[in-house]
Amino acid sequence: LSMASGVASGVASGVALGVALGVALGAALGVALGMASGVALGVALGVASGVGILRPESWLLGLLLLFKPQHGYWQFSRVTPLPLVNLSFHLKNWLRKDWQKGLDNLEQLLTYTLQFIPVIQAVNFVLAEIPGEHLIFRVNQLAETAYNCDADLLRFASASLSQTMKSRALDGFFLLPAFAKQKINRYLQTDMRLDTPARAAAAGFYYLSEKEPVKAAEAFSSLRSLPYGEEMFILAAILTACNNAQELTAIANIQISNFPPEPLFRSATWKVLVSLRRVVEDIQVIKKSLSRTPRSFALNRALGELTNILNQRETLPRTERNIIINIAENWKQILLQITGEVGEISIKQKVRNPYIAGDPVEGSLFVGREGILTQLQELWGSSNQLQSVVLFGHRRMGKTSILRNVGKSLPPDITVAYINLLTLGNISQGVGEVLITITDAISDTLKQSPPDDEALLKMPYRSFERYLKQIESNLSGGLIIALDEFEKIEDLIEAGKIPPDFMEVLRGMVQQSPKIGFAFAGLHTLEEMTADYFQPFFASVIPIKVGFMEPAATVYLLANPHEDFTLDYKPETLEEIYNLTSGQPYLVQLIGFQLVRLYNHQVFETGQHRDPIFTPKDLETVINDGEFFNRGRYYFTGVWGQAKQGNPHQQTLLKTLAPHPKGLTIEALIKTTGLNETTINNALETLKRHDVVKQTNGNWHIIVELFRRWLLNN
């Protein structure tokens, strides 16, 4: 009786569904046949096809599913779409017991039978039971299964199941014209739901597979607190930005956010996103560079990255594979359109070395200090009130270059008079000689006559004050007096060459005029110097730290040192240079200088044939050459010597940390050095303030890898 009822119910349902779809078909064909005849034809077709398509007799045979055969394998009818009794129940148990094995069984059912509805019912039921910490991982496994058999599986893990039968039944109407299928599909289309974590996860992966990263990001945004949720949200957001960029300028303007920390759920995808980020950086070079040479190399580099992505498509997760391939293909076509404009480059003679190792830099080599220049522009952008500042940082960090270049960023009525106090040497005429040096530099800058030397030597303060008043009366804007290496003043005070009240008197003179400001540059903040001498300036001078360059600025400096630079770098070479230097500008310039020398020597002196592109092997050759550390000794010994000053035991800690690239904990430093925790913390804070060490994951380590290596051998 139960079987008979089931058959009757199945046939009735099939006919009813066939009639409903026949009416829909009739409506679609009504334009050609007339509405009334179209509906009548649909009813007739529906009654005939309801039995022919749904195959209730095969459904009846499928009731054998109630009994498990002795050999342990289930057998199903593959031709009926009517849900088989208890199939969904068994699928739920399989999925609960072993998710992956259940998916394998599910894949077999969807590949070889028409039992879509029981499958999706079971999947949705079990997905709702999965705890949040496992959800995204398991939905990803489901997505891979969907790609192997039926893509709608992922869709209906989020969409309303009430529409499933209608959508799936359309598959049987293979005789339907294409325009009719599209028309009916518009009425049967279902919306994705994000009201539960399971549905949101399924929607996120589905939208990625459908190349709709905006919707994928929206779906993953509600899962950011779950394991891998933040990663998938960032991934979808980056793909959105890349997919929306359809022309060169738009690609160059992409701001790719920081990647999530390791370990990564989609490591293969993130490797590709690293390549896309390199392409963006190269396109920025193409857009910004005035030279045909760096543009040509950047273009070739970008095309190579995109070609590698396309060649390695099979390594990508299939969910996001299509959208990544689309992005790579679109960007490649955009770049190929400008190849004729950029052109090819050949090198016929020695490359002029554009890098400057040691001296202040100007022009195109002065990059990466936009943040500091912006601060100075804000402080000195008006002559109404010029603020005095102190630029501090360890040796060869670029302080002098900033003072030498800042004038180009200021309004034309603000003048910078630069004085390097090291030119004072071992003075013998006291404070008057210091003021002669300062007034000479000011007069040369402003093209005005300096005060009489004799007057400055006899009455230094009074003569200098009168000179500043005279200068102020002739200023159309403002004057910045830039004193480089200002520790020289402290040395002169300590040596008894100038009186201890020099800074106090100087501050008093400056305060008389809002049109005159001072810029000090040195190794220390004023607070780190002898407080009695520099106390007068504490409240009125703004400290500005000069630190390392950012990775992008380091790359730009190396790749674009001059508009006619004809050499290039592999991306991994640029990355390794930053890893070795942390963006320390002197070391970056020194490495570039040595690499150009290496290329000229190999090609034009020893006759080697090589590409004009620096590889990691070239970098290794330069670093392992004893000449590199010899040329860089002024930087290395300068940082080492500075560690003698201030808090004691800084050098002891540096020697202790040098053999440990990943650093040591405070506890390990206490055990190794025998120093107490307070002493170690004070010394580490001083070293940290001067960008020598930093703490990462609880370990204190030396920031600049090349300085650490130098310490090991010296």
Side-chain angles (χ1 to χ4, degrees), residues 307-319:
T307 300
N308 287 338
I309 293 173
L310 295 173
N311 289 340
Q312 298 173 14
R313 66 182 71 198
E314 296 303 321
T315 65
L316 291 170
R318 286 185 290 185
T319 308

Side-chain angles (χ1 to χ4, degrees), residues 410-570:
L410 299 175
D413 62 342
I414 305 296
T415 304
V416 178
Y418 173 81
I419 304 102
N420 190 330
L421 294 177
L422 290 181
T423 60
L424 289 172
N426 189 19
I427 65 171
S428 58
Q429 300 296 314
V431 69
E433 192 171 348
V434 175
L435 295 177
I436 288 173
T437 301
I438 295 174
T439 55
D440 283 349
I442 295 173
S443 298
D444 289 343
T445 302
L446 298 177
K447 309 302 180 186
Q448 296 186 21
S449 299
D452 182 66
D453 288 354
E454 191 66 26
L456 284 170
L457 292 174
K458 288 183 177 181
M459 293 186 298
Y461 294 150
R462 179 63 63 189
S463 299
F464 187 66
E465 181 182 9
R466 289 175 178 174
Y467 176 69
L468 289 181
K469 288 182 178 180
Q470 176 188 344
I471 290 297
E472 180 189 8
S473 64
N474 294 327
L475 283 175
S476 59
L479 173 66
I480 300 297
I481 302 174
L483 300 178
D484 201 0
E485 304 288 351
F486 75 88
E487 285 90 353
K488 182 66 175 179
I489 294 176
E490 184 176 30
D491 295 340
L492 294 174
I493 294 174
E494 293 284 350
K497 301 289 186 178
I498 60 177
D501 66 350
F502 174 75
M503 294 299 292
E504 184 176 2
V505 173
L506 196 61
R507 177 175 178 265
M509 295 178 184
V510 171
Q511 284 187 326
Q512 294 179 16
S513 173
K515 291 187 174 183
I516 299 178
F518 274 75
F520 300 96
L523 301 175
H524 310 279
T525 62
L526 292 175
E527 289 86 346
E528 291 178 319
M529 300 183 69
T530 307
D532 290 343
Y533 306 150
F534 293 90
Q535 184 68 37
F537 274 82
F538 286 176
S540 59
V541 175
I542 295 177
I544 298 176
K545 182 178 180 179
V546 181
F548 300 111
M549 295 190 299
E550 294 295 325
T554 303
V555 168
Y556 187 82
L557 185 153
L558 288 166
N560 297 273
H562 191 272
E563 62 180 16
D564 294 324
F565 189 59
T566 53
L567 302 177
D568 195 17
Y569 294 79
K570 284 187 173 294

